[in-house]
Structures are given as structure tokens and as C-alpha cells.
Amino acid sequence: QVQLVESGGGLVQAGGSLRLSCQAPGDTFSNVAVGWFRQAPGKERKFVASIVRGARITNYADSMKGRFTISEDNAKTTVYLQMNGLQPTDTAVYYCAATRQLLSAAISDYEYWGRGTQVTVSS
């Protein structure tokens, strides 16, 4: 199995920044790409961004592009989500997930999931 652990969530005010981390091993065929998703209470889970391990090819949801940046470290052990210009509408639980697909934004393509980290943005 692929074990994923998110961290870095918290409470910030509107306009602030936050960097989320996902401990995601990069030495398995089940972890070809890692994506970030978010889910607010009572709403469906939505795609945020994804990255192909090693090649570092990225994909973003249109509403996130320009404010959020996904990246990974040189050791290929951690995937990050840098979030700038946060707004109250960004409040949600953020999850990282692993897939065998390269550039998928579909929830059904992601096989392994972390337990999530809460991000709350005050107005």
C-alpha cells in the first residue's frame, strides 16, 4: 500500500498564505502521480492540482491556477501545495491522493488517500 500523510493546515485570514505538505513515497508504480483535492462540509470533493513524480509535470483546476502551486522536493518524498491569496471560499479539508495515471483529475482514478488536513480562512 501507499501511505499518504497531509500536514500544514490551520487558520489564516483572507489574503494570507499557507503551504500544505504530503508525505508521499515516490518509489512505487502505484504513486506515479499525486493530486490535491478539497472538500467543504456538505459539498462534493473537488480536484485542485496534480503532479507527475520526477517529471514534475503539473495540472491545475482553472479556479486554482495562478494562486496555488504544486511541487515536490528533490528527494521525491514530499509533495507540496503552496496557497496564496487565500479566501473564505478556500475553506475545506484538503486531501492528497496517489494514482497510476499521469494527469488525471478524476477522483475515481486515485487509489490511495490521506486522511486530510483542515484549512480555514477567515474574512
Side-chain angles (χ1 to χ4, degrees):
Q1 295 185 357
V2 176
Q3 300 294 322
L4 305 172
V5 181
E6 305 96 333
S7 63
L11 175 64
V12 298
Q13 61 183 357
S17 298
L18 204 61
R19 187 177 74 165
L20 306 182
S21 298
C22 174
Q23 298 297 316
D27 59 350
T28 173
F29 292 113
S30 298
N31 195 24
V32 172
V34 168
W36 283 98
F37 295 78
R38 70 184 189 184
Q39 186 170 21
K43 297 184 179 180
E44 295 183 349
R45 185 166 45 189
K46 297 177 63 177
F47 172 77
V48 175
S50 67
I51 185 168
V52 179
R53 311 306 300 277
R56 300 181 180 181
I57 300 171
T58 59
N59 187 32
Y60 295 91
D62 289 340
S63 60
M64 318 300 175
K65 192 173 184 179
R67 294 194 300 123
F68 292 6
T69 303
I70 189 170
S71 63
E72 69 173 357
D73 63 359
N74 291 331
K76 204 178 179 182
T77 58
T78 307
V79 174
Y80 302 98
L81 183 68
Q82 178 68 44
M83 305 185 294
N84 299 323
L86 286 166
Q87 300 298 316
T89 51
D90 296 317
T91 295
V93 176
Y94 285 71
Y95 301 89
C96 65
T99 179
R100 293 182 175 89
Q101 304 297 319
L102 295 180
L103 294 172
S104 177
I107 293 174
S108 60
D109 285 339
Y110 287 79
E111 184 175 1
Y112 301 99
W113 294 82
R115 295 181 179 179
T117 184
Q118 177 71 48
V119 173
T120 303
V121 184
S122 62
S123 60

